Amino acid sequence: MTFKGMSHFPRLLLPSNVHSLINRLDQEYLSYLNPLYPPDPSLWTQARCDRFNSDVDQLLLLLQVELGTNFVIIDQQKRHAEDPALGEFLVANPNRKPMP
């Protein structure tokens, strides 16, 4: 396999803070879907979505700084917003709590 003229993918050495942020975002993202029934609205509030989106932007900046101009980062991470049906869902399911 070639990667822009290279016969192998380069090994990337990233600082521990970048790895920590990647791992934290990965774990947080696992809680985005409704845990009881994924097609139901996500329990993430807008504040939670904003924090996640901001952390994704921070990760992208860190990666750009670490990788420099030798790499192009293609941002395909969906930015999240509170599901418009969350309020109605919470009223119908009083035992469920939003994730602030």
Side-chain angles (χ1 to χ4, degrees), residues 82-94:
E82 182 177 310
D83 191 309
L86 178 59
E88 183 180 324
F89 175 80
L90 293 172
V91 168
N93 297 277

Side-chain angles (χ1 to χ4, degrees), residues 53-97:
N53 294 338
S54 177
D55 288 346
V56 167
D57 292 337
Q58 178 188 2
L59 175 60
L60 289 170
L61 288 173
L62 287 170
L63 289 171
Q64 288 172 337
V65 167
E66 289 299 323
L67 299 176
T69 59
N70 293 327
F71 293 87
V72 174
I73 298 174
I74 300 172
D75 178 7
Q76 294 182 332
Q77 174 63 44
K78 175 186 171 194
R79 297 312 190 265
H80 295 290
E82 182 177 310
D83 191 309
L86 178 59
E88 183 180 324
F89 175 80
L90 293 172
V91 168
N93 297 277
N95 60 328
R96 301 302 303 161
K97 301 291 181 220

